[in-house]
Amino acid sequence: AEKLIINWEDLNLDYAGENKFASFFSSTGNIHTYPAKAVPEMVNDLIKKVMSIRNIETVLDPFVGSGTTALESKYLGLDFFGSDLNPLAVLLSKTKALTIENTVYTKQRLIDFINQLDSEYTTTKLIPVQDFDGIQYWFKEENIRELQFLKFKLGQFIKRANKVNREMYALILLTAFSSTIRRVSLTRNGEFKLYRMSPNEIEKFSIDSISEFSNAVRNLLDMLVVANDSYSTKTKSSIQLENAKTLKYLEDASIDLVITSPPYG
């Protein structure tokens, strides 16, 4: 095998802002909370460093997490392969690496959908209920009802979408929905593990799930549109819900660079 020697001394690895959506954004952005995110600027610098001394066309991240490496690879014009055992990680990574087709139409279609949610919620009397152990512990009653309504409407919208756009709509809306669930839950922010708010905090806690969801969709759309405009070339991204021990999803693919942050204990 060819031996590759890289001088890393000229790289300043003192990075900050791990919640940034991408290295090419001037402002910070965060589409979803996720533990131990990689710093976009660091991933970008590492990939470019390797690209400066050898030809790189494909990147692999077998522990894809929130999708930082997937997005940075796409931005640099590289094909990407990734996997994770966490379904949320696969959802976020696929959304980050998404190429929006027919940008103006797609954005307007989703904006029209969220604009009608408030009025529909006000007039809706019967909402399908999905219960699970501990739901009352983690959510206030009104938020439970709002989230059930959103889940039902999302299901309807995605099911009725044509096959060409269905996955794209689903990725955007479900990522925003997952973010909303986290935001309206009675969990303390900024914690690696789930901890419930104090009784005093819970009493003061008041948030509208539908408004939160609408804002999440708008924010995500804005970031995806900017990201789409920033890509240097058309690339392919393949992200699978798979075990990194086998890498069977690679089949006969050739990988030029593996860059990853393995899961912590």
Side-chain angles (χ1 to χ4, degrees), residues 180-203:
T180 301
I181 291 172
R182 182 68 171 81
R183 290 271 297 170
V184 306
S185 67
L186 300 177
T187 54
R188 299 202 313 240
N189 290 325
E191 301 282 357
F192 181 79
K193 295 181 179 180
L194 288 179
Y195 292 101
R196 194 170 185 248
M197 295 177 183
S198 68
N200 186 48
E201 289 173 320
I202 291 174
E203 186 178 351

Side-chain angles (χ1 to χ4, degrees), residues 62-264:
F63 307 100
V64 75
S66 68
T68 300
T69 303
L71 181 56
E72 295 301 323
S73 298
K74 185 167 187 173
Y75 173 63
L76 293 171
L78 305 172
D79 289 340
F80 178 81
F81 294 87
S83 61
D84 210 289
L85 282 176
N86 184 351
L88 177 60
V90 175
L91 170 66
L92 299 184
S93 299
K94 282 189 171 184
T95 303
K96 275 191 178 181
L98 182 64
T99 298
I100 297 182
E101 304 292 344
N102 301 318
T103 306
V104 175
Y105 172 80
T106 298
K107 189 171 182 179
Q108 190 58 54
R109 184 87 171 84
L110 293 175
I111 294 298
D112 288 343
F113 168 67
I114 62 176
N115 281 343
Q116 65 187 10
L117 289 175
D118 262 330
S119 59
E120 288 191 15
Y121 179 69
T122 304
T123 58
T124 299
K125 291 183 171 51
L126 294 177
I127 297 174
V129 174
Q130 182 173 334
D131 195 18
F132 60 83
D133 187 34
I135 190 171
Q136 303 285 344
Y137 181 83
W138 291 110
F139 298 92
K140 285 194 167 183
E141 194 65 41
E142 186 59 30
N143 290 137
I144 293 174
R145 189 175 190 275
E146 291 165 348
L147 291 173
Q148 302 278 18
F149 167 78
L150 286 172
K151 181 175 181 294
F152 175 67
K153 298 303 293 185
L154 286 178
Q156 281 189 324
F157 181 86
I158 293 170
K159 186 176 181 179
R160 291 171 182 169
N162 63 57
K163 291 183 179 180
V164 175
N165 295 324
R166 186 172 298 154
E167 182 178 5
M168 177 175 61
Y169 290 152
L171 289 172
I172 295 170
L173 293 176
L174 293 177
T175 296
F177 184 54
S178 178
S179 175
T180 301
I181 291 172
R182 182 68 171 81
R183 290 271 297 170
V184 306
S185 67
L186 300 177
T187 54
R188 299 202 313 240
N189 290 325
E191 301 282 357
F192 181 79
K193 295 181 179 180
L194 288 179
Y195 292 101
R196 194 170 185 248
M197 295 177 183
S198 68
N200 186 48
E201 289 173 320
I202 291 174
E203 186 178 351
K204 296 177 181 178
F205 185 75
S206 178
I207 188 169
D208 183 277
S209 307
I210 297 172
S211 295
E212 191 64 34
F213 173 72
S214 296
N215 291 335
V217 172
R218 293 177 191 276
N219 183 47
L220 180 53
L221 279 172
D222 287 343
M223 287 194 286
L224 287 173
V225 169
V226 171
N228 275 217
D229 291 342
S230 303
Y231 298 146
S232 55
T233 61
K234 288 282 187 179
T235 62
K236 297 178 182 178
S237 295
S238 176
I239 301 167
Q240 308 294 328
L241 182 66
E242 293 282 355
N243 194 329
K245 289 182 178 180
T246 64
L247 298 181
K248 63 181 181 180
Y249 57 89
L250 290 179
E251 297 180 340
D252 297 324
S254 175
I255 301 301
D256 299 317
L257 174 65
V258 179
I259 181 166
T260 191
S261 176
Y264 305 141

